[in-house]
């Protein structure tokens, strides 16, 4: 069983915000956007606690927060890095964000098969 934890929410429509920034700035290609990491932990505290309580030797956990939070910027969950957006809107990953999570899933499946 592969348990995928909640994806951090951006809190705003990332694509729309990038369009607005592009209308007023020329540096959108290097733009970084992120949200406060504390928001992820507080908004998802009950779900994270419930998921962490599930015990099984056959359970494998994928934590998108390990991909998006505290990786590019300390105490922040990234939405956009160097102009590359990871979200279609406020909380749905686009192809770039989904590839990052899918890569972790593929690695986990490979590890399971090797066991």
């Amino acid at each position: 069983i592969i348990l995928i934890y909640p994806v951090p929410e951006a809190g705003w429509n990332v694509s729309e915000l990038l369009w607005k920034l592009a209308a007023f700035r020329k540096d959108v290609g290097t733009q970084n956007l992120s949200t406060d990491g504390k928001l992820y932990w507080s908004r998802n505290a009950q779900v994270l606690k419930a998921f962490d309580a599930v015990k099984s030797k056959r359970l494998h956990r994928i934590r998108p927060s390990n991909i998006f939070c505290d990786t590019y910027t300390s105490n922040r969950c990234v939405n956009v890095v160097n102009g590359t957006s990871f979200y279609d809107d406020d909380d749905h990953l686009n192809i770039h964000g989904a590839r990052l999570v899918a890569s972790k899933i593929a690695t986990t499946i490979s590890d399971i098969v090797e066991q």
Side-chain angles (χ1 to χ4, degrees), residues 1-57:
I1 298 170
I2 297 175
L3 178 60
I4 302 173
Y5 280 61
V7 172
E9 294 180 15
W12 48 70
N13 186 315
V14 176
S15 296
E16 187 176 291
L17 181 57
L18 285 176
W19 277 104
K20 288 178 182 176
L21 289 172
F24 298 102
R25 298 171 143 178
K26 297 183 189 255
D27 64 345
V28 174
T30 60
Q31 184 69 49
N32 292 329
L33 297 173
S34 63
T35 56
D36 187 343
K38 292 178 202 168
L39 290 175
Y40 172 78
W41 302 113
S42 65
R43 288 178 182 163
N44 293 285
Q46 291 180 336
V47 172
L48 299 174
K49 184 177 179 179
F51 281 13
D52 287 343
V54 177
K55 305 294 181 207
S56 172
K57 292 179 182 179

Side-chain angles (χ1 to χ4, degrees), residues 51-70:
F51 281 13
D52 287 343
V54 177
K55 305 294 181 207
S56 172
K57 292 179 182 179
R58 300 181 66 189
L59 180 66
H60 303 270
R61 301 170 195 273
I62 304 286
R63 300 173 193 265
S65 61
N66 289 346
I67 299 167
F68 300 106
C69 302
D70 292 323

